[in-house]
Amino acid sequence: MKLLKIGISGVRGIVGDSMTPKLAMDFASAFGTFVHGGPVLLGRDTRISGPMYEAACRAALAAAGCDVRLMGVCPTPVLQWAVRRGRAKGGISITAGHNDIRWNALTFINREGTYLNPFQGAEVLDLFHLGRFRKAGVDRLGTVSDGAAAADAYFLALSRFLDVPAISAAKLKVVIDACGGAGAPVLGRLAGALGFELVPVNDRPNGFFPHDPEPRPRNAQQVVSVLEVVGADAGFLLNSDVSRVSIVSETGESLSEEYTFPLVADAWLERRPGPVVTNLATSRMIEDVARGRGCPIVRAKVGQSYAVHALLQEEAVIAGEGSGGIAVPAFHPAFDGLLTIGLVLETIARRKKSVSELVGGLPRYHNVKEKLPCPPAKVHSVVSEVRRLFQRRRAIDASDGIRVDDEHG
């Protein structure tokens, strides 16, 4: 069975199987048609298959009359920021995020620098299925140029947004594992912009990942080992496109990715209270944090696109998921791992507390995450059966799968 996942924000599949160059070209053609030509930014993570899909997208976009600005290896949040600030028509990030090296994907970004909303995603899918693509004549073909300089402006903006004097004065030593992904080439720039001492791990972008690129405790052993040897103040793990982060404390405790959002949100809501957006699969820690700050919680479907769409609709001050993804609209409405690291370091510096002390102030819940294989044809019947099993419970939320709440969990 071929694995191909098509959603509102893009398409993801297995390289050499379901995710073919032709499929990438057709989707890029649909996106080029959707934006009606004009400048489009194109970036990728470090996967060995990335250049192949970059070439396919570049040709398809130029054929649709889009001027392609190549960002090269680039964190997705940096590309998203550049789309918005550079007033491009949109962008495509070639990355499969936390998925292993077998996978790759095209993620579509609108002119606001966010993932496509449900209506925009539906339009791109319609164009793809219809095969009615914009075809520019020879005198209107899109141009191809280097757009990598846009990253310079991003790091300048990030340093102005965060309290760099406080971070620098704290003289923090930080271990960061980029897993050989798109964050690897920019770790030094991040440290220079924010003023901390960097101890990099897996910072060689050679096209392969040294471990599963999902930032979770099971992948943190290298960071823990290095942190204990060098006596660092904090450790961080990134996924391949730098949209998600997990944290390791100064004691060597590898924290669940569920802690990233509530830790950052608690500090942010102290300064800027307001509505908080999270998804239906995130720990109730964030509910406790928001309640403690007198802020309402809005639950969205799982996925960055849904979270950010709700963030903008509700005029919320922060959004995030238990995956370690966080969006702060005051900087940019996108899951941004570089910003997340900066906000954690800023909190350490301002409160003069260690990571373990900050986490000690958060509620702790037992959280188990498991995956069970299920054939696509049986998904709806399985979900219906789960709902039947819990139908006597009052607190059932069926807006995105099944969520069951009771007094204890």
Side-chain angles (χ1 to χ4, degrees):
M1 179 180 65
K2 291 187 176 182
L3 292 173
L4 184 67
K5 299 182 178 181
I6 300 175
I8 61 171
S9 58
V11 57
R12 183 173 70 213
I14 300 292
V15 177
D17 184 6
S18 55
M19 189 67 186
T20 66
K22 181 182 184 304
L23 183 81
M25 290 188 73
D26 286 346
F27 265 102
S29 295
F31 185 72
T33 304
F34 167 73
V35 299
H36 304 291
V40 173
L41 272 59
L42 183 61
R44 60 182 174 87
D45 68 15
T46 55
R47 294 166 197 265
I48 195 170
S49 60
M52 175 177 70
Y53 295 115
E54 180 183 70
C57 290
R58 182 172 65 181
L61 291 170
C66 297
D67 293 326
V68 184
R69 298 175 186 171
L70 297 176
M71 300 286 288
V73 173
C74 178
T76 299
V78 175
L79 188 149
Q80 291 177 274
W81 187 92
V83 166
R84 187 180 188 189
R85 295 305 188 276
R87 297 181 180 179
K89 289 290 191 71
I92 300 178
S93 184
I94 303 168
T95 173
H98 64 284
N99 292 276
D100 65 49
I101 201 71
R102 298 173 302 155
W103 294 80
N104 214 329
L106 306 185
T107 301
F108 302 121
I109 299 161
N110 61 27
R111 66 190 310 161
E112 286 78 34
T114 69
Y115 286 4
L116 302 185
N117 64 40
F119 307 104
Q120 294 169 331
E123 185 175 345
V124 172
L125 285 177
D126 285 344
L127 290 167
F128 167 76
H129 289 301
L130 290 171
R132 296 177 182 174
F133 306 141
R134 193 171 190 265
K135 299 176 182 177
V138 68
D139 57 337
R140 296 190 177 184
L141 292 174
T143 60
V144 179
S145 60
D146 186 353
D152 297 334
Y154 168 87
F155 284 101
L156 178 61
L158 185 66
S159 66
R160 290 174 175 172
F161 182 76
L162 296 167
D163 189 350
V164 172
I167 297 172
S168 181
K171 299 185 183 303
L172 299 172
K173 183 182 290 186
V174 181
V175 179
I176 304 179
D177 181 357
C179 195
V186 302
L187 292 184
R189 298 179 72 176
L190 179 68
L194 302 188
F196 63 86
E197 181 183 348
L198 171 68
V199 182
V201 175
N202 296 321
D203 61 335
R204 295 183 179 180
N206 61 7
F208 297 94
F209 301 142
H211 59 72
D212 174 8
E214 189 168 11
R216 297 184 65 177
R218 69 187 182 205
N219 298 317
Q221 190 53 53
Q222 285 179 289
V223 172
V224 171
S225 298
V226 173
L227 182 145
E228 291 175 341
V229 170
V230 303
D233 298 286
F236 299 95
L237 285 81
L238 298 169
N239 66 337
S240 70
D241 76 337
V242 199
S243 61
R244 300 182 181 185
V245 178
S246 68
I247 306 171
V248 177
S249 77
E250 82 288 351
T251 65
E253 180 184 7
S254 179
L255 300 167
S256 165
E257 64 277 18
E258 291 283 350
Y259 280 94
T260 306
F261 184 30
L263 191 155
V264 170
D266 183 58
W268 188 251
L269 294 175
E270 183 180 33
R271 294 153 56 190
R272 299 193 185 187
V276 178
V277 171
T278 192
N279 70 21
L280 289 160
T282 295
S283 167
R284 62 171 59 180
M285 275 193 293
I286 188 60
E287 294 180 7
D288 294 345
V289 167
R291 188 182 304 112
R293 296 294 180 187
C295 299
I297 279 279
V298 178
R299 291 275 185 181
K301 292 183 177 182
V302 175
Q304 180 178 164
S305 180
Y306 292 110
V308 171
H309 186 57
L311 172 78
L312 299 175
Q313 277 193 323
E314 301 293 335
E315 297 183 345
V317 297
I318 192 169
E321 297 185 335
S323 63
I326 300 173
V328 177
F331 182 71
H332 183 62
F335 285 5
D336 188 336
L338 301 176
L339 172 64
T340 299
I341 290 174
L343 288 170
V344 173
L345 298 181
E346 182 183 78
T347 302
I348 294 171
R350 282 184 163 183
R351 293 187 176 180
K352 301 186 186 316
K353 289 185 177 182
S354 65
V355 172
S356 59
E357 289 173 326
L358 293 172
V359 172
L362 297 174
R364 291 218 171 197
Y365 292 99
H366 186 62
N367 194 311
V368 178
K369 296 184 179 182
E370 296 289 348
K371 295 180 180 179
L372 299 176
C374 177
K378 294 186 177 181
V379 168
H380 293 292
S381 60
V382 169
V383 171
S384 297
E385 180 65 14
V386 171
R387 183 171 186 172
R388 188 190 66 79
L389 290 172
F390 290 100
Q391 63 186 359
R392 294 183 180 179
R393 304 279 187 99
R394 293 182 179 180
I396 292 182
D397 188 327
S399 58
D400 188 20
I402 299 293
R403 178 186 170 99
V404 183
D405 286 274
D406 61 24
E407 181 182 355
H408 304 290

